Amino acid sequence: MLNFLEGHLPLLAGSVLTVLLLSIQRTTRDPDLRDDLRGAVRMLLAFLVLRLVSRILPEATTPEGLYKFVHVGWMLTFAYGVIRAGVAFALKLVRMRSPVTTPKILRDVIDFTLYALATVPILQSQLNLDLAGLLATSAVLTVVIGLALQETLGNLFAGLSLQLDRPFEVGDFIRIGEHTGRVVHIGWRSIRIANFRREVITLPNSMVGKEHVKNFTQHREPVGIEMQVGVSLDAPPNQVKQALLDVAREIPQVLVQPPPLARTVAFTDSNAQYMIRVFLNDFAMSDTVKEELHTRLWYRLRREGLELPHAQRTVTLRREMGHRRRELADDTVRELLRQVDLFAPLGPEELERLRCEVVVRRFGRNERIIQEGDEGGTFYVVASGEVSVRAGTLQSEITRLGPGHYIGEMSLLTGERRAATVVALEDSVLLELDRPTFARLFSDYPGLARQLSALLAQRRTQLRAVAQASGGGPDHSPEAGRILGRLRALFGLTHE
């Protein structure tokens, strides 16, 4: 090897090898091979420069120290370049037989070990150094340096162990002790993770090796997250668990498979504890999903009359139960009902009775009020906020409705399934009436069914965008007659 380096062939061999490695580097699709070859090419380019300089420098007039430095330099860079290229191709062969990527820290250890083995004979021959004697006479210095580098060496070997075990890779979301974040760097001494606040935390490898590591994204499998909620002891467990599951299924980031899971966890002196577990494709969305779960759950439980109690507030909450649903003033409810054309035939006394039967429902932003295809037995009047009416497989928006508009009447009165999905665009308050209320109205007002059928037929025609001017009355409309027939069958009406 040394005799070869002393001759003139290294310059030619280095030039040919540099061109060959450059062409392979630019054509290969293996990113690891490309990075390894980039280092080899840099070494060989440095060799070519130093070799040419050594040919140009006159040995007689050049200072001996400078001449020796250039001479040793091109020998070392040539050896390092060949070693780096050889290791690169060897690791490429390993990757072709195994899908597991070789850890970077292991590649570095192999490189530096071979560099050291190549450096020793070159320095011994060119500088006449007795390295064995030097090492033998510096035992005390070696011990001192070893003690000083004890922590660094511990991090080095811990990092090597982590790379061999591969509990995580760059890009994985992990939890180490109290730190949770995405791995952004794995090095000789430490790893760095970026948490949800975009803070970059550096953790020594020796500390990481001693902690329990949780990997939330290994193999890119769905990851489960859990949250617990306390609900009043009076709330039926099955009702609470169903509400938890319904809320979870409405959140877009929650996977259908594996399905969400709700369980009763424990009963305490002040409440019952429930757990909801959902699965996500991306753990980075966990905080967002938990926040959405908590927010939507508040609205859902409030609509169903279920408390989220705290021990110190239990007495106050029970005292306010009688006023819990009083979210709108009576005059406001009365005026909203008067604006609904379906109730135009009703007199003041009947409107007042209807007002007493109204249930106020509050929906949060992005909550689903009505689901297309579901059975429907409720009718809503928008009291405040804004809702979006959507239909079709793509859930394209048809229209937006604000205070005074109503939804859900067709399904309630005819028994048909919901024809569209309705979603709250902002926090909205709606007035809810159910089917028994309309059954009573039809019983008290024999002609109301026919009038409502005509109104529903006109509304359906408008929604289908095929309305045509007609001189005939609503009683002669085939659509109105069909709706009236379904309405009579659903409510058991026999009168005209």
Side-chain angles (χ1 to χ4, degrees), residues 244-468:
L244 288 169
L245 293 174
D246 290 345
V247 167
R249 294 184 184 115
E250 290 180 0
I251 299 177
Q253 294 86 356
V254 173
L255 299 179
V256 178
Q257 290 294 334
L261 175 66
R263 287 180 176 172
T264 307
V265 177
F267 296 103
T268 67
D269 294 337
S270 59
N271 56 41
Q273 290 289 322
Y274 296 88
M275 180 273 292
I276 176 70
R277 179 186 300 150
V278 299
F279 291 87
L280 314 175
N281 273 329
D282 186 2
F283 185 76
M285 300 299 299
S286 59
D287 281 359
T288 301
V289 171
K290 286 182 180 179
E291 190 275 336
E292 192 71 11
L293 277 170
H294 281 106
T295 300
R296 295 194 182 201
L297 190 60
W298 185 91
Y299 290 97
R300 176 62 180 264
L301 296 181
R302 185 178 179 87
R303 287 197 301 273
E304 297 193 8
L306 304 178
E307 299 179 42
L308 293 169
H310 297 279
Q312 65 271 22
R313 296 178 57 197
T314 301
V315 175
T316 304
L317 285 171
R318 289 178 183 271
R319 203 175 287 151
E320 294 176 353
M321 281 292 290
H323 304 283
R324 182 174 49 79
R325 292 190 183 276
R326 190 185 179 88
E327 303 201 37
L328 290 176
D330 293 345
D331 291 342
T332 301
V333 176
R334 192 181 297 111
E335 182 60 29
L336 286 168
L337 293 176
R338 188 178 293 114
Q339 295 176 14
V340 177
D341 53 7
L342 296 181
F343 303 141
L346 305 182
E349 294 184 0
E350 186 56 43
L351 278 177
E352 181 63 23
R353 185 177 178 183
L354 196 63
R355 182 195 63 77
C356 297
E357 297 176 353
V358 161
V359 178
V360 178
R361 302 292 191 191
R362 183 180 293 274
F363 291 85
R365 179 174 55 89
N366 294 329
E367 267 200 294
R368 190 181 301 122
I369 303 170
I370 290 175
Q371 175 61 48
E372 182 178 359
D374 287 353
E375 295 182 354
T378 51
F379 165 85
Y380 296 99
V381 180
V382 181
S384 66
E386 186 178 33
V387 301
S388 170
V389 181
R390 306 167 183 176
T393 55
L394 299 179
Q395 289 294 283
S396 302
E397 185 175 87
I398 299 175
T399 186
R400 295 187 177 189
L401 303 176
H405 292 88
Y406 55 90
I407 52 177
E409 73 289 346
M410 190 68 68
S411 182
L412 178 140
L413 295 175
T414 65
E416 299 175 357
R417 293 187 176 273
R418 300 292 195 186
T421 297
V422 181
V423 177
L425 295 177
E426 57 187 76
D427 279 19
S428 304
V429 177
L430 283 75
L431 308 181
E432 180 185 275
L433 292 168
D434 56 15
R435 190 167 285 155
T437 298
F438 279 86
R440 180 188 58 77
L441 290 175
F442 293 146
S443 176
D444 295 343
Y445 290 83
L448 183 61
R450 185 179 297 274
Q451 297 179 48
L452 292 187
S453 299
L455 288 172
L456 293 178
Q458 182 181 3
R459 183 176 174 86
R460 169 169 287 184
T461 302
Q462 292 172 348
L463 291 176
R464 291 177 176 177
V466 292
Q468 296 180 356

